[in-house]
Short mmCIF file of all heavy atoms in Angstrom, two decimals:
data_model
loop_
_atom_site.label_atom_id
_atom_site.label_comp_id
_atom_site.label_asym_id
_atom_site.label_seq_id
_atom_site.Cartn_x
_atom_site.Cartn_y
_atom_site.Cartn_z
N LYS A 54 -87.47 8.02 -55.69
CA LYS A 54 -88.64 7.36 -55.14
C LYS A 54 -89.28 8.24 -54.09
O LYS A 54 -88.61 8.99 -53.39
CB LYS A 54 -88.22 6.03 -54.49
CG LYS A 54 -89.38 5.18 -54.04
CD LYS A 54 -88.92 3.80 -53.62
CE LYS A 54 -90.13 2.98 -53.24
NZ LYS A 54 -89.80 1.62 -52.92
N ARG A 55 -90.61 8.13 -53.99
CA ARG A 55 -91.38 8.83 -52.97
C ARG A 55 -92.18 7.79 -52.20
O ARG A 55 -92.76 6.89 -52.79
CB ARG A 55 -92.36 9.81 -53.60
CG ARG A 55 -91.71 10.96 -54.33
CD ARG A 55 -92.78 11.81 -55.00
NE ARG A 55 -93.71 12.35 -54.05
CZ ARG A 55 -93.67 13.58 -53.55
NH1 ARG A 55 -92.74 14.41 -53.95
NH2 ARG A 55 -94.56 13.99 -52.69
N VAL A 56 -92.21 7.92 -50.90
CA VAL A 56 -93.02 7.05 -50.06
C VAL A 56 -94.19 7.88 -49.56
O VAL A 56 -93.99 8.97 -49.02
CB VAL A 56 -92.19 6.49 -48.88
CG1 VAL A 56 -93.07 5.65 -47.98
CG2 VAL A 56 -91.02 5.68 -49.40
N LEU A 57 -95.40 7.39 -49.74
CA LEU A 57 -96.59 8.12 -49.35
C LEU A 57 -96.51 8.55 -47.89
O LEU A 57 -96.42 7.72 -46.99
CB LEU A 57 -97.85 7.27 -49.57
CG LEU A 57 -99.17 7.97 -49.29
CD1 LEU A 57 -99.35 9.15 -50.23
CD2 LEU A 57 -100.32 6.99 -49.45
N GLY A 58 -96.47 9.87 -47.67
CA GLY A 58 -96.38 10.40 -46.32
C GLY A 58 -95.03 10.21 -45.65
O GLY A 58 -94.85 10.53 -44.49
N GLY A 59 -94.06 9.69 -46.39
CA GLY A 59 -92.75 9.40 -45.83
C GLY A 59 -91.65 10.12 -46.57
O GLY A 59 -91.88 11.15 -47.22
N PRO A 60 -90.44 9.59 -46.50
CA PRO A 60 -89.27 10.26 -47.08
C PRO A 60 -89.21 10.16 -48.60
O PRO A 60 -89.95 9.39 -49.23
CB PRO A 60 -88.10 9.53 -46.44
CG PRO A 60 -88.63 8.17 -46.15
CD PRO A 60 -90.07 8.37 -45.80
N LEU A 61 -88.29 10.93 -49.18
CA LEU A 61 -88.00 10.91 -50.60
C LEU A 61 -86.58 10.37 -50.77
O LEU A 61 -85.69 10.74 -49.99
CB LEU A 61 -88.02 12.31 -51.21
CG LEU A 61 -89.33 13.02 -51.43
CD1 LEU A 61 -89.86 13.58 -50.14
CD2 LEU A 61 -89.13 14.12 -52.42
N ALA A 62 -86.36 9.55 -51.78
CA ALA A 62 -85.01 9.12 -52.14
C ALA A 62 -84.56 10.06 -53.25
O ALA A 62 -85.21 10.16 -54.30
CB ALA A 62 -85.00 7.68 -52.62
N VAL A 63 -83.45 10.78 -53.02
CA VAL A 63 -82.99 11.81 -53.94
C VAL A 63 -81.54 11.55 -54.32
O VAL A 63 -80.70 11.31 -53.46
CB VAL A 63 -83.11 13.21 -53.31
CG1 VAL A 63 -82.70 14.29 -54.29
CG2 VAL A 63 -84.52 13.47 -52.80
N LYS A 64 -81.26 11.60 -55.62
CA LYS A 64 -79.89 11.42 -56.11
C LYS A 64 -79.26 12.80 -56.30
O LYS A 64 -79.82 13.67 -56.96
CB LYS A 64 -79.90 10.66 -57.43
CG LYS A 64 -78.51 10.31 -57.92
CD LYS A 64 -78.60 9.32 -59.06
CE LYS A 64 -77.23 8.91 -59.51
NZ LYS A 64 -76.73 7.75 -58.84
N VAL A 65 -78.09 12.97 -55.70
CA VAL A 65 -77.30 14.19 -55.81
C VAL A 65 -75.91 13.76 -56.25
O VAL A 65 -75.24 13.05 -55.51
CB VAL A 65 -77.21 14.95 -54.47
CG1 VAL A 65 -76.38 16.21 -54.62
CG2 VAL A 65 -78.58 15.27 -53.93
N GLY A 66 -75.51 14.13 -57.44
CA GLY A 66 -74.23 13.65 -57.95
C GLY A 66 -74.28 12.13 -58.07
O GLY A 66 -75.19 11.58 -58.67
N GLU A 67 -73.32 11.44 -57.48
CA GLU A 67 -73.28 9.98 -57.52
C GLU A 67 -73.84 9.36 -56.24
O GLU A 67 -73.76 8.15 -56.05
CB GLU A 67 -71.84 9.51 -57.74
CG GLU A 67 -71.26 9.92 -59.07
CD GLU A 67 -72.04 9.35 -60.24
OE1 GLU A 67 -72.39 8.15 -60.21
OE2 GLU A 67 -72.31 10.10 -61.20
N SER A 68 -74.40 10.17 -55.35
CA SER A 68 -74.90 9.69 -54.06
C SER A 68 -76.42 9.76 -54.00
O SER A 68 -77.04 10.59 -54.66
CB SER A 68 -74.33 10.53 -52.92
OG SER A 68 -72.92 10.46 -52.91
N THR A 69 -77.01 8.87 -53.19
CA THR A 69 -78.45 8.86 -52.98
C THR A 69 -78.73 9.06 -51.49
O THR A 69 -78.10 8.43 -50.65
CB THR A 69 -79.06 7.52 -53.44
OG1 THR A 69 -78.75 7.33 -54.82
CG2 THR A 69 -80.56 7.51 -53.25
N PHE A 70 -79.68 9.94 -51.19
CA PHE A 70 -80.03 10.27 -49.82
C PHE A 70 -81.53 10.16 -49.61
O PHE A 70 -82.30 10.40 -50.53
CB PHE A 70 -79.59 11.70 -49.45
CG PHE A 70 -78.13 11.93 -49.61
CD1 PHE A 70 -77.63 12.56 -50.73
CD2 PHE A 70 -77.25 11.50 -48.63
CE1 PHE A 70 -76.27 12.77 -50.89
CE2 PHE A 70 -75.89 11.71 -48.78
CZ PHE A 70 -75.40 12.34 -49.91
N ALA A 71 -81.93 9.83 -48.41
CA ALA A 71 -83.34 9.87 -48.02
C ALA A 71 -83.55 11.16 -47.25
O ALA A 71 -82.83 11.44 -46.30
CB ALA A 71 -83.70 8.67 -47.15
N LEU A 72 -84.52 11.94 -47.69
CA LEU A 72 -84.85 13.20 -47.01
C LEU A 72 -86.26 13.14 -46.47
O LEU A 72 -87.17 12.66 -47.13
CB LEU A 72 -84.78 14.38 -47.99
CG LEU A 72 -83.45 14.78 -48.56
CD1 LEU A 72 -83.62 16.02 -49.43
CD2 LEU A 72 -82.44 15.04 -47.47
N ARG A 73 -86.41 13.64 -45.25
CA ARG A 73 -87.75 13.78 -44.68
C ARG A 73 -88.46 14.90 -45.42
O ARG A 73 -87.82 15.78 -46.01
CB ARG A 73 -87.65 14.08 -43.19
CG ARG A 73 -87.03 12.89 -42.42
CD ARG A 73 -86.73 13.26 -41.01
NE ARG A 73 -85.51 14.09 -41.00
CZ ARG A 73 -84.83 14.39 -39.91
NH1 ARG A 73 -85.25 13.98 -38.74
NH2 ARG A 73 -83.75 15.13 -39.99
N ARG A 74 -89.78 14.87 -45.41
CA ARG A 74 -90.56 15.87 -46.16
C ARG A 74 -90.22 17.29 -45.74
O ARG A 74 -90.12 18.18 -46.58
CB ARG A 74 -92.06 15.63 -45.98
CG ARG A 74 -92.57 14.35 -46.56
CD ARG A 74 -92.48 14.39 -48.08
NE ARG A 74 -92.70 13.06 -48.61
CZ ARG A 74 -93.61 12.76 -49.51
NH1 ARG A 74 -94.36 13.70 -50.01
NH2 ARG A 74 -93.73 11.54 -49.93
N PHE A 75 -90.07 17.54 -44.44
CA PHE A 75 -89.80 18.92 -44.01
C PHE A 75 -88.43 19.37 -44.50
O PHE A 75 -88.23 20.56 -44.78
CB PHE A 75 -89.95 19.08 -42.48
CG PHE A 75 -88.73 18.76 -41.69
CD1 PHE A 75 -87.78 19.74 -41.42
CD2 PHE A 75 -88.52 17.48 -41.19
CE1 PHE A 75 -86.65 19.44 -40.68
CE2 PHE A 75 -87.40 17.19 -40.45
CZ PHE A 75 -86.46 18.17 -40.19
#
Side-chain angles (χ1 to χ4, degrees):
K54 187 171 182 175
R55 294 176 59 99
V56 177
L57 184 62
L61 286 77
V63 183
K64 186 168 183 91
V65 180
E67 296 299 316
S68 300
T69 302
F70 301 100
L72 293 183
R73 295 171 284 192
R74 295 292 168 126
F75 87 88

